Amino acid sequence: MSQPPPPPNQPPQQPGFGPPQEPSEPQPPAPSAPATPPTPPAQPPQQPPAGPDVNKAPQPQPGYGYPQAPGTPPPAAPPTPPQGPGYGYPQQPPAGYGYPAQQPGPYGQPPQPGPYGQQPGPYGQPQQPGPYGQQPPYGYAQPTVPMQAQPGQPGQPGGGRKINAQVAIIVSAVVAIALIVGGGVWYANSSGKDDDKQTTAEGGDTKGGEGDGKEGGSGDGGATTGEAKEKAPAATGSKVLFQVPSPKVPKGVTTISIAGSWLTDSVYAKSGLSEITGYDRRTGTKKWTLDLPGPVCAATPHITEDDKTAIVHKPAMPSKTDPQACTEVAVVDLAAGSKVWTKTAKSGTMPVSFNNVTIGGGTVAAGSTSGGAAWDLATGDERWAPKTSDSCYDAGYGGGAKLVAVRKCGSYDQRQLHIQNVDPKSGDILAEYKMDEGIEYAAVVSTDPLVVAADVGDSAGDGSGISDFFSIDNKTGKLRARLSAPGDEFAARCDAIYKVENCTGVTVGNDRLYIATEEHDSGGDSYSQTNEVVAFDLATGKQTGQRADAGENYEIFPLRMDGPNVIAYKRPPYDKGGQVVSIDGESFKETVLMENPSTEAVRDVESRMSPDYSEIQFGQGGLYMSSVYASDFTSREKEYSVIAFGTG
């Protein structure tokens, strides 16, 4: 894909941002990078952790390298809010900074980190060492510097949050480079199984999925059971419960992943620089802190019935001279704030650097192109080890109710993906669906029912990684239906290249797929923008006709299932607070569960937590929004990695 010219008023794109990288070997083509998110309306003012201070004066604007903030005022409305950094994501520095620029692989594919230099990947491709402290979290791309939409621009009436297609493509290309700098590795390798064996799998043990109302999870979208748990309070207006200041990165380190957040019945837990902290859900009081030797590189959103989850972290803090590799896989007890166990794996004599971890069927599975492993969740005993062949390797796993592998076979010019329901204990194949040749990447949206997303023929065109969804029978491996979701019509995104089970703007339940549409004009004489959540039948592949409207100048994103209902977040216009709504799975009637304060100071913080590029948890009347990177690029004294809202 040729690099487009930079948009007006933006600096020219550099061959690479940040710390040095060794040139990558030729890589297989990848879909275009995730589209950049809309820019938020303003920066948060300086404020104490207890909550926003509306009396503080606005802060100076950051320089180049920080995302700009969106405004959505109508014509002749109040002035466009000041621009500020986007969604809690730091902008990678441009080439320079005393470091040589790296050579990106084709289509923004990241170099692969290895603990001791280059590790051989599939087909003999060497992996590249990652930059210090820059590991993308599970599927979250770093935003770039989108142009500010102004009222009256062609295609941008009323200063809506959308940017034109040319700028979107340009910014997507920059995002791809930013992802390269992130230093993540492909989630790959075989699941260590005999492809011809068929056995019976045990049932999943996680409650962290959209199907059962557990707030901490997102991902499996499992079969819908039980009643909805989230009820509208007597008063839906919320207040800020607490905020967590963004941690300061060590000297000489520009950006560090702080991916990972979980919500249990009593604790909101969030990753920091080299620790995980459990906060009281209502007060923000620290209940426990789990110290780690290095940053969290990746985390699964799934939580077991007894509040266990899994992470990958580095063995030490990164430095300018030693970036460290993501070699440590750990299970964390979110109730006690302690590690249950920590494991590593080797590929030959080399420690494996992982970039993804998940939980399914009592198994913790982690992998990369240089190797991987699967362990018993309770004991840490190894269950099966991935293996590669000359023609096939596992590209990653989706967890939750079941464990699903995305296996790549064939040569670069004749690739075929095998979607495999595997036995979590043995890794044996239970059922398999072979996708059409030429599809390079697929993401697991749900494991039960099984739904995967792919960009067929790179036709999405918007960096979302999705042109079609595939509904697959988990028992037989047969295709139930193929759901067409063109990128210019639907707003869901999946990071199938790096994190196989990370998708946003979409959820699964009631044997339906619920997906956000792209923003569009509201119609009539209005210059406002809006979008909807619509439903597809997983048996037929057709839309059901159900639609939940965001409302004028709001943008709606499905978060998870709550029994038969859909929990969705509404990103607000520049002068209002966000909302959380429950959408009835049958009637599609919307019930407001929460409406956040519209004061400028609060909006400044909330607006930077984009649903596409942040972690959002909602449950029991609490909304928790967090960023996934800490950075030294800021012109403000106060940055926040978490903001929590509550009703009642």
Side-chain angles (χ1 to χ4, degrees):
M1 178 176 71
S2 61
Q3 181 72 19
N9 302 321
Q10 285 190 290
Q13 299 182 24
Q14 303 292 339
F17 298 155
Q21 298 284 341
E22 297 183 17
S24 57
E25 293 291 323
Q27 303 287 341
S32 47
T36 194
T39 52
Q43 302 183 18
Q46 302 176 12
Q47 40 197 318
D53 184 350
V54 297
N55 297 316
K56 290 290 185 180
Q59 295 299 311
Q61 303 208 16
Y64 167 66
Y66 232 106
Q68 302 299 307
T72 56
T80 304
Q83 303 190 16
Y87 318 112
Y89 270 69
Q91 173 69 22
Q92 296 286 354
Y97 287 76
Y99 309 119
Q102 79 168 30
Q103 236 177 342
Y107 296 91
Q109 187 167 340
Q112 312 296 334
Y116 306 111
Q118 298 184 357
Q119 294 186 19
Y123 312 109
Q125 294 185 10
Q127 297 184 21
Q128 309 298 334
Y132 48 91
Q134 301 189 38
Q135 286 285 343
Y138 46 95
Y140 288 83
Q142 285 193 228
T144 57
V145 189
M147 295 182 65
Q148 176 70 32
Q150 300 295 339
Q153 287 181 337
Q156 301 287 338
R161 288 190 292 270
K162 297 184 80 174
I163 56 178
N164 64 43
Q166 180 182 7
V167 174
I169 294 171
I170 293 169
V171 175
S172 295
V174 180
V175 174
I177 299 175
L179 282 171
I180 295 169
V181 177
V185 294
W186 265 1
Y187 189 128
N189 273 313
S190 171
S191 49
K193 52 190 177 286
D194 182 342
D195 290 351
D196 296 326
K197 288 182 90 174
Q198 304 266 331
T199 61
T200 302
E202 293 187 351
D205 60 352
T206 60
K207 57 180 176 179
E210 288 103 335
D212 51 22
K214 172 66 179 178
E215 303 96 84
S218 63
D220 70 66
T224 304
T225 58
E227 297 182 356
K229 297 181 180 179
E230 307 297 344
K231 308 297 182 182
T236 57
S238 72
K239 62 180 180 180
V240 176
L241 299 178
F242 62 91
Q243 295 180 115
V244 178
S246 185
K248 302 295 184 182
V249 299
K251 185 177 181 180
V253 178
T254 57
T255 303
I256 288 182
S257 167
I258 52 172
S261 61
W262 305 267
L263 194 59
T264 73
D265 292 338
S266 60
V267 169
Y268 171 73
K270 173 62 183 170
S271 296
L273 288 188
S274 59
E275 73 280 330
I276 300 173
T277 302
Y279 301 92
D280 182 277
R281 289 177 51 133
R282 297 294 300 181
T283 67
T285 303
K286 291 183 180 180
K287 301 186 74 169
W288 50 259
T289 297
L290 172 62
D291 292 325
L292 301 171
V296 174
C297 306
T300 178
H302 301 298
I303 304 175
T304 66
E305 290 288 344
D306 57 351
D307 291 337
K308 304 293 195 308
T309 192
I311 62 171
V312 175
H313 66 85
K314 296 187 176 186
M317 286 298 293
S319 66
K320 183 176 178 180
T321 57
D322 188 357
Q324 298 293 326
C326 300
T327 56
E328 315 298 302
V329 177
V331 166
V332 176
D333 186 331
L334 296 172
S338 61
K339 273 189 182 181
V340 179
W341 51 257
T342 302
K343 298 292 179 179
T344 60
K346 289 186 177 181
S347 177
T349 60
M350 305 293 289
V352 175
S353 181
F354 300 101
N355 79 309
N356 193 296
V357 64
T358 194
I359 297 174
T363 292
V364 176
S368 75
T369 51
S370 61
W375 300 270
D376 183 277
L377 190 149
T379 65
D381 294 338
E382 186 171 304
R383 284 189 164 178
W384 41 267
K387 61 183 179 182
T388 59
S389 68
D390 291 338
S391 60
C392 294
Y393 66 96
D394 283 10
Y397 305 94
K402 298 183 182 297
L403 191 64
V404 172
V406 177
R407 185 168 177 82
K408 288 191 174 186
C409 292
S411 59
Y412 295 147
D413 57 354
Q414 201 171 8
R415 178 80 71 211
Q416 187 173 45
L417 300 182
H418 299 193
I419 309 302
Q420 300 174 335
N421 181 17
V422 301
D423 185 318
K425 284 198 170 183
S426 67
D428 294 332
I429 301 171
L430 305 177
E432 179 179 69
Y433 170 71
K434 296 181 180 180
M435 304 186 77
D436 291 343
E437 290 186 3
I439 300 175
E440 285 289 336
Y441 303 97
V444 179
V445 181
S446 165
T447 60
D448 185 22
L450 178 53
V451 180
V452 299
D455 186 358
V456 180
D458 296 333
S459 59
D462 64 344
S464 66
I466 305 171
S467 66
D468 297 84
F469 293 92
F470 297 79
S471 173
I472 301 167
D473 189 299
N474 242 323
K475 295 181 180 179
T476 65
K478 293 182 179 179
L479 180 69
R480 299 177 63 200
R482 178 170 170 174
L483 293 62
S484 177
D488 60 349
E489 297 179 23
F490 297 95
R493 308 193 185 286
C494 292
D495 188 4
I497 304 174
Y498 312 109
K499 311 292 180 179
V500 167
E501 68 172 353
N502 182 75
C503 294
T504 60
V506 62
T507 189
V508 173
N510 304 320
D511 207 35
R512 293 170 185 163
L513 180 140
Y514 301 96
I515 183 173
T517 67
E518 288 285 3
E519 274 195 298
H520 54 81
D521 293 341
S522 296
D525 296 331
S526 173
Y527 289 102
S528 64
Q529 298 274 299
T530 189
N531 79 321
E532 302 81 30
V533 169
V534 298
F536 283 84
D537 189 309
L538 291 178
T540 66
K542 297 180 179 179
Q543 289 194 43
T544 64
Q546 297 164 306
R547 187 179 78 173
D549 296 318
E552 188 171 318
N553 276 328
Y554 283 88
E555 188 175 8
I556 189 169
F557 296 83
L559 298 177
R560 63 173 177 88
M561 297 302 297
D562 174 33
N565 297 343
V566 179
I567 301 298
Y569 172 73
K570 287 188 177 182
R571 184 171 173 81
Y574 78 99
D575 58 348
K576 297 183 184 299
Q579 294 181 352
V580 177
V581 298
S582 176
I583 304 170
D584 186 279
E586 291 300 326
S587 69
F588 257 47
K589 177 183 177 182
E590 296 180 42
T591 300
V592 177
L593 302 178
M594 173 182 289
E595 185 162 8
N596 294 335
S598 60
T599 56
E600 182 179 359
V602 175
R603 287 188 285 106
D604 286 348
V605 182
E606 180 183 4
S607 65
R608 287 193 311 279
M609 303 296 182
S610 160
D612 276 332
Y613 299 93
S614 299
E615 297 170 344
I616 301 180
Q617 311 279 359
F618 178 83
Q620 300 179 23
L623 174 67
Y624 306 83
M625 310 177 76
S626 65
S627 57
V628 293
Y629 279 101
S631 172
D632 65 353
F633 295 107
T634 178
S635 61
R636 291 189 301 271
E637 293 182 7
K638 279 291 183 184
E639 293 280 355
Y640 294 97
S641 62
V642 175
I643 185 168
F645 300 91
T647 56

